Amino acid sequence: MNIPESLKDIQQFVARGEISLVNICKEYIDRIKSSKTNSFIEIFENEALSKAEEIQKKITDNGAGLLAGLFIGLKDNICYQGHQLTASSKILKGFESMFSATAVEKIIKEDGIFIGRLNCDEFAMGSSNENSIYGPVKNPIDLNKVPGGSSGGSAAAVAERLCNATLGSDTGGSVRQPASFCGVVGFKPTYGRVSRNGLIAYGSSFDQIGVFSKNIDDTCLISHVISGADKFDSTVSIKKPNKKTINNVDKKLNIGIPEDYLNFKNLDPEIKEKTLSVIENLKSKGHHIELLKFPYLEYIVPTYYVLSTAEASSNLSRYDGAHFGLRSYDSSDINTTYENTRSEGFGIEVKRRIMLGNFVLSSGYYDAYFTKAQKVRRLISQKTFQMLEKNDVLLFPTTPTTAFNIGEIEDPVTMYLQDIFTVHANIVGLPAISLPIGKHSNNLPFGIQLMSGKFKENQLFELSKFLMQNY
Ligand code: GLN
């Protein structure tokens, strides 16, 4: 069965009685069951089917919400009341959410249907989706390759058409990097655009819930729905969400190109070439292009890993065997309960980051690492805002390479360097999107990234739609 790709088409087909939501739901469930990528770890089968019936009626009665007809997957680090939630970690085994994330509630209110739970790197820490208690996710384009991480399941599921869209989280690139590796659209909103209430905290000053889909119209609409003020997250802005639809696709913009990104020594030559050809094309269509210097590229990954591990070590202290999920019973008192539960429950990468985070926060090293990294964060932000004074959007690749083999990268630092082009947006809190317009001669996709000023999502979507139409 063919399922129309965009939500608008699905809604029209359903309204005309040419397709039913129950049939779409059954088709997606069949596809998930026969998938070989390990992206879904649970299907909400009965629930999704009964909601499909209910929302089908709403569409035919003309009383449906904005997301009626949307089947959406949920990364396993976002709360959905009454459903399991593990962050792909043993330490949360058996835990059930007591409430739904604000973003989840908003989607349900607009009649979107959650179809299942998606594999990810443990506590969203990773760039390959290999750090998961459920085993690695495979890239649907080539099952020997990683899908990227940490929202690898969310990216693979959309690429494989197991649902229309998915939610992921992006702390340092976890939506955009897997989107690039799997050939789908991946969007991270401005920090403070979407409530983090109900998102398992990793690096609280970086985390945002993001959206995967196949097209910009759906990305724009879902982002509109999940945005907006929330009394449960004081960092969310009261600014109006981005518009529901994209109007002005042909607006001529000032586009800045940080040259240092294109001259990065490990950038794949074909990705560089494609980025340059996109830039040429934009120039020929009347956009103004300016080459920019960004002197902090080499500091961007260290800054991110000092600060994000510091925040993570504090956020993850709550998993102690007393409050959530796993408890080691092989313990004699409260301290051994903490020690044993955390030793048994956390995977190796999470432990590495907790230790690193505690180290950079320890009294003897606090100023040398944590304070210093905060200062560098400030410098990176100032320089970026300066680049955005004259430019509407910055353009550069999403990833230096295409997807690598499962098991290929063993060294943690090499893995951390995979985030070199994505952490910038999180350090500064800017919105950014990866567009699946690159195709390598090795047959794998790669993304071109756009980043704009704070709360300028409308602009980002306008240029994104233009680029998607032209490639
Ligand atoms: N790969 C990065 C990390 O491991 C980003 C993860 C994320 O955005 N959640 O921290």
Side-chain angles (χ1 to χ4, degrees), residues 22 56 74 89 93 106 120 132-133 150 155 195 220 226 249 273 372 374 379-381 394 405:
V22 171
Q56 166 89 24
L74 192 61
S89 179
K93 208 168 154 213
K106 285 177 182 254
C120 59
S132 164
I133 191 78
S150 64
S195 171
C220 172
I226 63 177
V249 177
E273 201 183 304
K372 186 78 152 262
Q374 292 285 33
L379 288 175
I380 293 170
S381 300
L394 305 181
N405 289 326

PDB file of all heavy atoms in Angstrom, residues 22 56 74 89 93 106 120 132-133 150 155 195 220 226 249 273 372 374 379-381 394 405:
ATOM      1  N   VAL A  22      -7.116   3.822   9.587  1.00  0.00           N
ATOM      2  CA  VAL A  22      -6.883   2.490  10.150  1.00  0.00           C
ATOM      3  C   VAL A  22      -5.992   1.678   9.202  1.00  0.00           C
ATOM      4  O   VAL A  22      -5.046   1.004   9.640  1.00  0.00           O
ATOM      5  CB  VAL A  22      -8.228   1.763  10.419  1.00  0.00           C
ATOM      6  CG1 VAL A  22      -7.996   0.305  10.796  1.00  0.00           C
ATOM      7  CG2 VAL A  22      -8.992   2.474  11.517  1.00  0.00           C
ATOM      8  N   GLN A  56     -10.138   9.312  12.319  1.00  0.00           N
ATOM      9  CA  GLN A  56     -10.766   9.184  10.992  1.00  0.00           C
ATOM     10  C   GLN A  56     -12.163   9.851  11.018  1.00  0.00           C
ATOM     11  O   GLN A  56     -12.515  10.619  10.134  1.00  0.00           O
ATOM     12  CB  GLN A  56     -10.897   7.691  10.663  1.00  0.00           C
ATOM     13  CG  GLN A  56     -11.813   7.351   9.511  1.00  0.00           C
ATOM     14  CD  GLN A  56     -11.068   7.357   8.175  1.00  0.00           C
ATOM     15  OE1 GLN A  56      -9.856   7.172   8.145  1.00  0.00           O
ATOM     16  NE2 GLN A  56     -11.783   7.607   7.108  1.00  0.00           N
ATOM     17  N   LEU A  74       8.228   8.174  18.828  1.00  0.00           N
ATOM     18  CA  LEU A  74       8.736   8.929  19.969  1.00  0.00           C
ATOM     19  C   LEU A  74      10.078   8.370  20.444  1.00  0.00           C
ATOM     20  O   LEU A  74      10.182   7.178  20.759  1.00  0.00           O
ATOM     21  CB  LEU A  74       7.703   8.820  21.104  1.00  0.00           C
ATOM     22  CG  LEU A  74       7.856   9.740  22.290  1.00  0.00           C
ATOM     23  CD1 LEU A  74       7.763  11.203  21.874  1.00  0.00           C
ATOM     24  CD2 LEU A  74       6.776   9.432  23.327  1.00  0.00           C
ATOM     25  N   SER A  89      18.466   2.651  28.450  1.00  0.00           N
ATOM     26  CA  SER A  89      19.398   2.324  29.533  1.00  0.00           C
ATOM     27  C   SER A  89      18.824   1.229  30.422  1.00  0.00           C
ATOM     28  O   SER A  89      17.617   1.189  30.672  1.00  0.00           O
ATOM     29  CB  SER A  89      19.640   3.571  30.390  1.00  0.00           C
ATOM     30  OG  SER A  89      20.517   3.282  31.441  1.00  0.00           O
ATOM     31  N   LYS A  93      15.062   0.382  33.421  1.00  0.00           N
ATOM     32  CA  LYS A  93      14.267  -0.798  33.066  1.00  0.00           C
ATOM     33  C   LYS A  93      12.976  -0.833  33.888  1.00  0.00           C
ATOM     34  O   LYS A  93      12.991  -0.695  35.104  1.00  0.00           O
ATOM     35  CB  LYS A  93      15.096  -2.050  33.370  1.00  0.00           C
ATOM     36  CG  LYS A  93      14.741  -3.196  32.488  1.00  0.00           C
ATOM     37  CD  LYS A  93      15.760  -4.297  32.628  1.00  0.00           C
ATOM     38  CE  LYS A  93      15.080  -5.610  32.280  1.00  0.00           C
ATOM     39  NZ  LYS A  93      15.590  -6.715  33.042  1.00  0.00           N
ATOM     40  N   LYS A 106       0.847  18.371  23.383  1.00  0.00           N
ATOM     41  CA  LYS A 106       0.425  19.299  22.321  1.00  0.00           C
ATOM     42  C   LYS A 106       0.131  18.540  21.031  1.00  0.00           C
ATOM     43  O   LYS A 106      -0.780  18.895  20.287  1.00  0.00           O
ATOM     44  CB  LYS A 106       1.507  20.360  22.078  1.00  0.00           C
ATOM     45  CG  LYS A 106       1.552  21.432  23.166  1.00  0.00           C
ATOM     46  CD  LYS A 106       2.696  22.398  22.896  1.00  0.00           C
ATOM     47  CE  LYS A 106       2.822  23.453  23.974  1.00  0.00           C
ATOM     48  NZ  LYS A 106       2.370  24.770  23.561  1.00  0.00           N
ATOM     49  N   CYS A 120      17.563   4.661  20.818  1.00  0.00           N
ATOM     50  CA  CYS A 120      18.478   5.820  20.774  1.00  0.00           C
ATOM     51  C   CYS A 120      19.740   5.455  21.543  1.00  0.00           C
ATOM     52  O   CYS A 120      19.823   4.383  22.133  1.00  0.00           O
ATOM     53  CB  CYS A 120      17.807   7.048  21.408  1.00  0.00           C
ATOM     54  SG  CYS A 120      17.302   6.837  23.120  1.00  0.00           S
ATOM     55  N   SER A 132      23.301   1.436  23.118  1.00  0.00           N
ATOM     56  CA  SER A 132      21.908   1.222  23.518  1.00  0.00           C
ATOM     57  C   SER A 132      21.743  -0.165  24.093  1.00  0.00           C
ATOM     58  O   SER A 132      22.296  -1.132  23.561  1.00  0.00           O
ATOM     59  CB  SER A 132      20.990   1.377  22.301  1.00  0.00           C
ATOM     60  OG  SER A 132      19.725   0.823  22.575  1.00  0.00           O
ATOM     61  N   ILE A 133      20.956  -0.269  25.154  1.00  0.00           N
ATOM     62  CA  ILE A 133      20.684  -1.570  25.772  1.00  0.00           C
ATOM     63  C   ILE A 133      19.939  -2.492  24.785  1.00  0.00           C
ATOM     64  O   ILE A 133      19.970  -3.711  24.903  1.00  0.00           O
ATOM     65  CB  ILE A 133      19.881  -1.360  27.090  1.00  0.00           C
ATOM     66  CG1 ILE A 133      19.785  -2.635  27.929  1.00  0.00           C
ATOM     67  CG2 ILE A 133      18.503  -0.833  26.839  1.00  0.00           C
ATOM     68  CD1 ILE A 133      21.017  -2.940  28.692  1.00  0.00           C
ATOM     69  N   SER A 150      22.324  10.882  18.596  1.00  0.00           N
ATOM     70  CA  SER A 150      21.774   9.799  19.389  1.00  0.00           C
ATOM     71  C   SER A 150      20.367   9.380  18.956  1.00  0.00           C
ATOM     72  O   SER A 150      19.929   8.297  19.302  1.00  0.00           O
ATOM     73  CB  SER A 150      21.738  10.209  20.863  1.00  0.00           C
ATOM     74  OG  SER A 150      20.852  11.298  21.058  1.00  0.00           O
ATOM     75  N   ALA A 155      15.627   8.787  13.171  1.00  0.00           N
ATOM     76  CA  ALA A 155      16.007   9.100  11.786  1.00  0.00           C
ATOM     77  C   ALA A 155      15.745   7.907  10.876  1.00  0.00           C
ATOM     78  O   ALA A 155      15.167   8.035   9.795  1.00  0.00           O
ATOM     79  CB  ALA A 155      17.480   9.493  11.728  1.00  0.00           C
ATOM     80  N   SER A 195       9.172  23.376  24.962  1.00  0.00           N
ATOM     81  CA  SER A 195       9.326  23.012  26.368  1.00  0.00           C
ATOM     82  C   SER A 195      10.144  21.735  26.531  1.00  0.00           C
ATOM     83  O   SER A 195       9.952  20.771  25.801  1.00  0.00           O
ATOM     84  CB  SER A 195       7.947  22.805  26.991  1.00  0.00           C
ATOM     85  OG  SER A 195       8.091  22.258  28.288  1.00  0.00           O
ATOM     86  N   CYS A 220       7.607  22.107   9.589  1.00  0.00           N
ATOM     87  CA  CYS A 220       7.144  23.439  10.002  1.00  0.00           C
ATOM     88  C   CYS A 220       5.868  23.325  10.852  1.00  0.00           C
ATOM     89  O   CYS A 220       5.763  23.941  11.919  1.00  0.00           O
ATOM     90  CB  CYS A 220       6.905  24.267   8.740  1.00  0.00           C
ATOM     91  SG  CYS A 220       6.140  25.846   9.009  1.00  0.00           S
ATOM     92  N   ILE A 226       4.363  22.079  18.601  1.00  0.00           N
ATOM     93  CA  ILE A 226       5.039  21.748  19.873  1.00  0.00           C
ATOM     94  C   ILE A 226       5.664  22.975  20.561  1.00  0.00           C
ATOM     95  O   ILE A 226       6.095  22.882  21.701  1.00  0.00           O
ATOM     96  CB  ILE A 226       6.102  20.634  19.703  1.00  0.00           C
ATOM     97  CG1 ILE A 226       7.247  21.066  18.762  1.00  0.00           C
ATOM     98  CG2 ILE A 226       5.463  19.342  19.214  1.00  0.00           C
ATOM     99  CD1 ILE A 226       8.362  20.027  18.629  1.00  0.00           C
ATOM    100  N   VAL A 249       8.742  31.631  -0.276  1.00  0.00           N
ATOM    101  CA  VAL A 249       9.876  30.760  -0.587  1.00  0.00           C
ATOM    102  C   VAL A 249      10.944  31.486  -1.410  1.00  0.00           C
ATOM    103  O   VAL A 249      12.115  31.112  -1.406  1.00  0.00           O
ATOM    104  CB  VAL A 249       9.355  29.504  -1.334  1.00  0.00           C
ATOM    105  CG1 VAL A 249      10.488  28.605  -1.754  1.00  0.00           C
ATOM    106  CG2 VAL A 249       8.385  28.740  -0.453  1.00  0.00           C
ATOM    107  N   GLU A 273      32.383  19.732  -2.211  1.00  0.00           N
ATOM    108  CA  GLU A 273      32.013  20.109  -3.580  1.00  0.00           C
ATOM    109  C   GLU A 273      30.515  20.404  -3.699  1.00  0.00           C
ATOM    110  O   GLU A 273      30.103  21.399  -4.294  1.00  0.00           O
ATOM    111  CB  GLU A 273      32.372  18.925  -4.477  1.00  0.00           C
ATOM    112  CG  GLU A 273      32.536  19.239  -5.941  1.00  0.00           C
ATOM    113  CD  GLU A 273      32.825  17.917  -6.666  1.00  0.00           C
ATOM    114  OE1 GLU A 273      33.789  17.226  -6.296  1.00  0.00           O
ATOM    115  OE2 GLU A 273      32.045  17.576  -7.563  1.00  0.00           O
ATOM    116  N   LYS A 372      36.437  28.081  32.298  1.00  0.00           N
ATOM    117  CA  LYS A 372      37.081  28.406  31.018  1.00  0.00           C
ATOM    118  C   LYS A 372      36.127  28.097  29.850  1.00  0.00           C
ATOM    119  O   LYS A 372      35.964  28.913  28.933  1.00  0.00           O
ATOM    120  CB  LYS A 372      38.358  27.557  30.913  1.00  0.00           C
ATOM    121  CG  LYS A 372      39.254  27.838  29.746  1.00  0.00           C
ATOM    122  CD  LYS A 372      40.075  29.079  29.956  1.00  0.00           C
ATOM    123  CE  LYS A 372      41.387  29.064  29.229  1.00  0.00           C
ATOM    124  NZ  LYS A 372      42.517  28.668  30.030  1.00  0.00           N
ATOM    125  N   GLN A 374      32.917  27.974  29.888  1.00  0.00           N
ATOM    126  CA  GLN A 374      31.808  28.956  29.866  1.00  0.00           C
ATOM    127  C   GLN A 374      32.256  30.231  29.152  1.00  0.00           C
ATOM    128  O   GLN A 374      31.496  30.853  28.407  1.00  0.00           O
ATOM    129  CB  GLN A 374      31.379  29.330  31.299  1.00  0.00           C
ATOM    130  CG  GLN A 374      30.714  28.214  32.064  1.00  0.00           C
ATOM    131  CD  GLN A 374      29.281  27.949  31.634  1.00  0.00           C
ATOM    132  OE1 GLN A 374      28.927  28.116  30.464  1.00  0.00           O
ATOM    133  NE2 GLN A 374      28.450  27.510  32.557  1.00  0.00           N
ATOM    134  N   LEU A 379      32.472  33.572  23.965  1.00  0.00           N
ATOM    135  CA  LEU A 379      33.173  34.075  22.772  1.00  0.00           C
ATOM    136  C   LEU A 379      32.550  33.525  21.491  1.00  0.00           C
ATOM    137  O   LEU A 379      32.336  34.259  20.519  1.00  0.00           O
ATOM    138  CB  LEU A 379      34.657  33.661  22.809  1.00  0.00           C
ATOM    139  CG  LEU A 379      35.543  34.368  23.823  1.00  0.00           C
ATOM    140  CD1 LEU A 379      36.937  33.762  23.811  1.00  0.00           C
ATOM    141  CD2 LEU A 379      35.609  35.865  23.501  1.00  0.00           C
ATOM    142  N   ILE A 380      32.244  32.229  21.507  1.00  0.00           N
ATOM    143  CA  ILE A 380      31.644  31.599  20.321  1.00  0.00           C
ATOM    144  C   ILE A 380      30.294  32.266  20.029  1.00  0.00           C
ATOM    145  O   ILE A 380      29.967  32.575  18.884  1.00  0.00           O
ATOM    146  CB  ILE A 380      31.473  30.072  20.540  1.00  0.00           C
ATOM    147  CG1 ILE A 380      32.845  29.393  20.623  1.00  0.00           C
ATOM    148  CG2 ILE A 380      30.611  29.438  19.444  1.00  0.00           C
ATOM    149  CD1 ILE A 380      32.813  27.934  21.078  1.00  0.00           C
ATOM    150  N   SER A 381      29.520  32.517  21.082  1.00  0.00           N
ATOM    151  CA  SER A 381      28.205  33.132  20.892  1.00  0.00           C
ATOM    152  C   SER A 381      28.345  34.539  20.320  1.00  0.00           C
ATOM    153  O   SER A 381      27.662  34.898  19.365  1.00  0.00           O
ATOM    154  CB  SER A 381      27.439  33.195  22.221  1.00  0.00           C
ATOM    155  OG  SER A 381      27.273  31.900  22.722  1.00  0.00           O
ATOM    156  N   LEU A 394      23.247  31.109   8.115  1.00  0.00           N
ATOM    157  CA  LEU A 394      24.581  30.580   7.837  1.00  0.00           C
ATOM    158  C   LEU A 394      24.408  29.193   7.228  1.00  0.00           C
ATOM    159  O   LEU A 394      23.514  28.440   7.634  1.00  0.00           O
ATOM    160  CB  LEU A 394      25.419  30.482   9.119  1.00  0.00           C
ATOM    161  CG  LEU A 394      25.564  31.772   9.944  1.00  0.00           C
ATOM    162  CD1 LEU A 394      26.439  31.523  11.170  1.00  0.00           C
ATOM    163  CD2 LEU A 394      26.158  32.906   9.100  1.00  0.00           C
ATOM    164  N   ASN A 405      30.792   2.684   9.247  1.00  0.00           N
ATOM    165  CA  ASN A 405      30.367   1.305   9.546  1.00  0.00           C
ATOM    166  C   ASN A 405      30.049   1.118  11.023  1.00  0.00           C
ATOM    167  O   ASN A 405      30.689   1.742  11.884  1.00  0.00           O
ATOM    168  CB  ASN A 405      31.479   0.314   9.185  1.00  0.00           C
ATOM    169  CG  ASN A 405      31.648   0.202   7.696  1.00  0.00           C
ATOM    170  OD1 ASN A 405      30.676   0.306   6.935  1.00  0.00           O
ATOM    171  ND2 ASN A 405      32.880  -0.009   7.258  1.00  0.00           N
TER     172      ASN A 405
END
